[in-house]
């Protein structure tokens, strides 16, 4: 699917540094121009307010591990972070309680099933399987330190704001819209509770999870948040150490296996980067040591991943030498090294 899209773009190897700044800015602008007219995919409507998104919105942003930011298109338009929050809440929980505990309670393997699958829980004896599907994300939110749901929420909002380098607020309209229609997530939480996997009131945890999904971000925020994971946990804009480097490693490993749900294999095959998508149309793709891409465009594929966002990432992965699996013979790494 993506290969034919970029076959005219020379494949750079992933070794070395990003190309010179002028080239990066130019390629981000080209990625945006190349796919702005692409008319594929469907805007999510199972959360009613999301159906009102303009399908033409399209923003691309790249933040280097050195803090240099390049934007194109609608990279300043705010949208709800949705499932992309799962990656950063997972990182906060790993930081707080250690990766073994999260591994044992939540798991790290792909379900091969849609993000809101109930069957995946049943097929796996009550295990939520991984923190990127709704079951695992709800179980992860329950593990956030804090005696009350409100304490957990405060920790999440503050933690995700540190990743973004600015105070993130909840989009109340999205929060209310999802709260009125999230029966399936409530059922998932009740099912986890029935397997003894939650340790907290299920409806309170779903409420916190719904609020975290309604945090308002831009494509640029996503690039900065991802670049923090790329830079060993240090936010490249604020200089704050948000989480430990080991936590970034663990988070990126989970994104590499589960970040785009049942499409993660295809994504890794074509783009070769740990990434996370969300139903409002955001994608963050992380390049360890180099930086991150943030993309936003509401029309989605059948698995819930932004169509234009995926294409822009595929183009930039190739043109900037970001694919982690693209090596070259020593001395022949090409202009990006
Ligand atoms: O729980 C939900 O269904 C949404 N708050 C988030 C789902 C989502 O973003 C899936 N991503 N593609």
């Amino acid at each position: 699917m993506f290969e034919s899209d970029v076959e005219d773009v020379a494949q750079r190897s992933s070794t070395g540094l990003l190309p010179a700044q002028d080239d990066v800015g130019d390629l981000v602008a080209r990625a945006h121009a190349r796919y702005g007219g692409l008319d594929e995919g469907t805007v999510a409507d199972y959360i009613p307010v999301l159906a009102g998104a303009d399908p033409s919105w399209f923003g691309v942003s790249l933040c280097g591990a050195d803090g240099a930011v390049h934007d194109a298109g609608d990279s300043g338009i705010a949208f709800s972070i949705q499932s992309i929050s799962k990656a950063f809440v997972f990182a906060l929980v790993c930081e707080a309680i250690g990766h073994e505990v999260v591994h044992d309670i939540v798991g790290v393997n792909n379900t091969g099933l849609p993000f809101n699958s109930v069957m995946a829980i049943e097929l796996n004896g009550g295990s939520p399987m991984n923190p990127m599907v709704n079951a695992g994300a709800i179980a992860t939110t329950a593990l956030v330190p804090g005696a009350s749901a409100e304490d957990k929420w405060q920790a999440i909002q503050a933690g995700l704001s540190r990743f973004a380098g600015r105070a993130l607020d909840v989009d109340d309209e999205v929060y209310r819209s999802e709260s009125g229609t999230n029966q399936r997530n409530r059922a998932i939480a009740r099912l986890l509770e029935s397997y003894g996997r939650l340790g907290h009131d299920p409806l309170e945890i779903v409420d916190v999870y719904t609020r975290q999904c309604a945090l308002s971000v831009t494509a640029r925020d996503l690039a900065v948040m991802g670049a923090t994971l790329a830079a060993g946990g240090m936010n490249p804009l604020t200089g704050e150490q948000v989480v430990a480097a080991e936590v970034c490693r663990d988070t990126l490993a989970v994104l590499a296996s589960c970040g785009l749900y049942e499409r993660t294999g295809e994504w890794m095959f074509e783009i070769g980067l740990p990434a996370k998508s969300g139903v409002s149309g955001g994608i963050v793709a992380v390049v360890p040591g180099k930086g991150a891409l943030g993309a936003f465009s509401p029309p989605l594929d059948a698995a819930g991943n932004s169509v234009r966002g995926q294409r822009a990432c595929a183009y930039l992965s190739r043109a900037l030498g970001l694919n982690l699996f693209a090596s070259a013979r020593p001395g022949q790494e090409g202009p990006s090294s």
Side-chain angles (χ1 to χ4, degrees):
M1 175 185 181
F2 302 109
E3 178 64 23
S4 58
D5 229 40
V6 292
E7 59 196 7
D8 58 321
V9 183
Q11 172 74 69
R12 297 184 196 234
S13 81
S14 68
T15 51
L17 305 170
L18 287 172
Q21 294 291 333
D22 288 356
D23 292 349
V24 176
D26 186 44
L27 287 167
V28 169
R30 270 198 242 171
H32 180 265
R34 195 171 164 118
Y35 299 109
L38 182 68
D39 187 21
E40 287 174 26
T42 313
V43 175
D45 61 2
Y46 77 99
I47 299 170
V49 73
L50 296 186
D54 182 340
S56 73
W57 281 335
F58 183 31
V60 183
S61 197
L62 182 151
C63 179
D66 59 359
V69 178
H70 302 272
D71 291 314
D74 300 319
S75 52
I77 286 193
F79 57 95
S80 54
I81 189 169
Q82 296 299 341
S83 281
I84 300 171
S85 65
K86 294 167 178 171
F88 298 97
V89 174
F90 176 71
L92 294 174
V93 169
C94 283
E95 175 82 3
I97 67 175
H99 95 199
E100 287 83 0
V101 183
V102 185
H103 175 270
D104 291 349
I105 297 178
V106 184
V108 294
N109 284 316
N110 199 310
T111 63
L113 290 166
F115 64 87
N116 57 0
S117 175
V118 171
M119 197 163 62
I121 307 171
E122 289 294 348
L123 288 173
N124 291 288
S127 168
M129 290 302 285
N130 73 68
M132 300 304 140
V133 291
N134 288 11
I138 290 166
T140 303
T141 293
L143 293 172
V144 172
S148 67
E150 185 56 29
D151 291 346
K152 292 178 191 293
W153 164 243
Q154 295 294 340
I156 289 171
Q157 185 172 23
L160 266 60
S161 296
R162 286 200 298 275
F163 273 109
R166 69 178 187 93
L168 299 180
D169 293 321
V170 168
D171 181 325
D172 283 322
E173 203 186 350
V174 173
Y175 168 62
R176 280 197 303 274
S177 183
E178 184 162 3
S179 294
T181 52
N182 62 358
Q183 293 84 357
R184 192 174 182 91
N185 284 340
R186 286 182 248 159
I188 285 172
R190 289 259 190 235
L191 189 56
L192 292 175
E193 180 193 32
S194 79
Y195 279 107
R197 294 265 185 176
L198 215 51
H200 200 100
D201 179 82
L203 296 188
E204 285 186 8
I205 292 301
V206 171
D207 182 60
V208 176
Y209 165 80
T210 306
R211 274 195 261 177
Q212 84 185 39
C213 289
L215 281 168
S216 190
V217 293
T218 63
R220 187 187 174 105
D221 288 327
L222 293 182
V224 174
M225 294 173 86
T228 302
L229 292 176
M234 190 193 76
N235 182 311
L237 297 190
T238 65
E240 184 181 0
Q241 189 71 37
V242 180
V243 291
E246 293 73 18
V247 165
C248 298
R249 177 202 61 203
D250 296 341
T251 304
L252 297 182
V254 174
L255 297 190
S257 56
C258 313
L260 275 85
Y261 307 113
E262 65 273 33
R263 294 282 169 86
T264 308
E266 283 163 65
W267 167 274
M268 289 306 283
F269 190 65
E270 304 291 356
I271 292 151
L273 292 173
K276 186 73 203 85
S277 62
V279 284
S280 47
I283 295 184
V284 61
V286 182
V287 199
K290 291 186 182 178
L293 305 172
F296 166 59
S297 184
L300 309 176
D301 68 13
N305 306 313
S306 169
V307 174
R308 288 193 201 105
Q310 291 181 82
R311 296 290 177 94
C313 289
Y315 174 81
L316 288 170
S317 169
R318 182 169 282 238
L320 290 169
L322 308 180
N323 187 321
L324 298 179
F325 306 110
S327 61
R329 286 168 55 151
Q332 296 183 2
E333 290 90 351
S336 67
S337 62

